[in-house]
Amino acid sequence: MPSQRDIIEQWAARPGRHIVNLSGGKDSTALAIFLHDKIPQLEYVFCDTHKELPETYAYLDRLESFLQKKITKLNPERGFDHWLDIYGGMLPSAQVRWCTRKLKIEPFEAYIGNDLVWSYIGIRADEGRNGYISTKPNVHPVYPFKELGMTITDIEAILENSGLGLPEYYKWRQRSGCFFCFFQRTGEWIGLKEHHPDLFEQAKAYESERGGEHFYWRQRESLAELEKPERVAQIKREYAFRLEQERKRRPNRPLIELLGAVLDAEDDERGCDICHL
């Protein structure tokens, strides 16, 4: 059976471009760190929506310093507001995800063109998803963590040993992406209000000024309803109860895994794979 080193050397020897598409989340960041001295020709790309959390931009700056290699930021001039105008003010939703297509998929596919590309994706061995896979025939996905049997414990160790650690927003949010992402859970919206009240107000303004009579980011309730003191208290009680239940059920699991399980207990749809790798 080939060793980990042999497998990675085989990847590195393939002709074509080798790219890690960063999201600003823990897994793609850990993947960039894990591969940076093993596949020296790697390119690092970040599709910027212009609406990411401040913690995301700070984390990417720290990663760039660690890698000592430039992270190419796509969409330098055409962020979310540009495309919102193009779409006549129609805000994206789980049903109409033009944000993912226009701000993530199309910029990346334009960047790689028709070149032969090996796209390294940070899906772990303990996950049941494949992430975004381009339909372009010249793009070939590679799943290092899955192929090498690496799990959340390995990812945390990579980040800790690098000195980067987890992004700061992981204290209250489990997904990277726009601060007003419609896939956020109620607890994450409360976290946004408490950590970035200015961004919460911006999200609320998009909803009330551009969303129309029946558009809510949360679909089932407006942000104005969500931020009412009695609703916030209810959300926090439910969150604390679920966290305590998870601690009892899995006492030896890391906190980040427990927090993810607590948030996933909500009956929301899973977010866009390309946005929160």
Side-chain angles (χ1 to χ4, degrees), residues 5 11 22 36 48 96 100 103 107 116 118 125 176 244:
R5 179 177 178 179
W11 294 337
L22 298 161
H36 90 285
D48 190 1
V96 185
T100 304
L103 291 164
L116 172 63
W118 301 96
S176 53
E244 183 60 27

Side-chain angles (χ1 to χ4, degrees), residues 120-222:
Y120 293 81
I121 300 170
I123 302 292
R124 307 186 309 271
D126 55 350
E127 292 186 278
R129 61 190 180 107
N130 290 321
Y132 164 72
I133 301 174
S134 174
T135 57
K136 291 171 70 72
N138 56 305
V139 182
H140 303 279
V142 186
Y143 299 94
F145 293 153
K146 289 182 77 170
E147 293 191 37
L148 299 175
M150 300 174 70
T151 66
I152 182 65
T153 303
D154 300 298
I155 274 59
E156 287 186 301
I158 290 169
L159 295 174
E160 186 66 27
N161 293 336
S162 72
L164 265 72
L166 293 166
E168 283 296 312
Y169 63 76
Y170 270 77
K171 295 175 181 176
W172 53 277
R173 172 174 162 153
Q174 295 291 301
R175 298 169 178 173
S176 53
C178 297
F179 65 81
F180 46 70
C181 180
F182 40 81
F183 282 121
Q184 286 184 100
R185 296 83 150 202
T186 51
E188 293 173 317
W189 279 109
I190 297 305
L192 179 67
K193 180 174 176 59
E194 293 181 341
H195 289 83
H196 296 290
D198 57 327
L199 298 183
F200 186 89
E201 288 302 314
Q202 287 184 43
K204 197 163 64 168
Y206 275 122
E207 186 178 79
S208 61
E209 297 171 11
R210 305 292 291 271
E213 185 178 355
H214 300 294
F215 178 90
Y216 303 144
W217 289 119
R218 285 285 305 147
Q219 298 188 49
R220 49 176 86 89
E221 65 184 330
S222 70

Side-chain angles (χ1 to χ4, degrees), residues 212-266:
E213 185 178 355
H214 300 294
F215 178 90
Y216 303 144
W217 289 119
R218 285 285 305 147
Q219 298 188 49
R220 49 176 86 89
E221 65 184 330
S222 70
L223 295 185
E225 294 170 322
L226 182 71
E227 69 174 342
K228 290 180 179 178
E230 60 273 19
R231 180 70 172 115
V232 172
Q234 177 193 10
I235 292 167
K236 288 186 173 183
R237 283 196 306 270
E238 292 173 353
Y239 179 87
F241 175 78
R242 291 199 300 268
L243 181 57
E244 183 60 27
Q245 293 298 106
E246 283 295 324
R247 282 195 173 117
K248 291 177 180 178
R249 190 169 71 89
R250 299 187 294 171
N252 299 319
R253 303 310 299 166
L255 179 59
I256 184 174
E257 190 172 329
L258 298 180
L259 293 177
V262 167
L263 290 168
D264 285 339
E266 293 189 21

Side-chain angles (χ1 to χ4, degrees), residues 7-46:
I7 293 172
I8 296 174
E9 285 181 351
Q10 290 173 12
W11 294 337
R14 291 168 171 167
R17 297 168 68 183
H18 297 248
I19 300 176
V20 174
N21 197 342
L22 298 161
S23 70
K26 67 181 187 310
D27 295 316
S28 63
T29 298
L31 183 62
I33 294 168
F34 177 69
L35 295 176
H36 90 285
D37 59 350
K38 302 175 180 69
I39 305 179
Q41 69 269 42
L42 267 179
E43 301 174 47
Y44 305 96
V45 174
F46 173 65

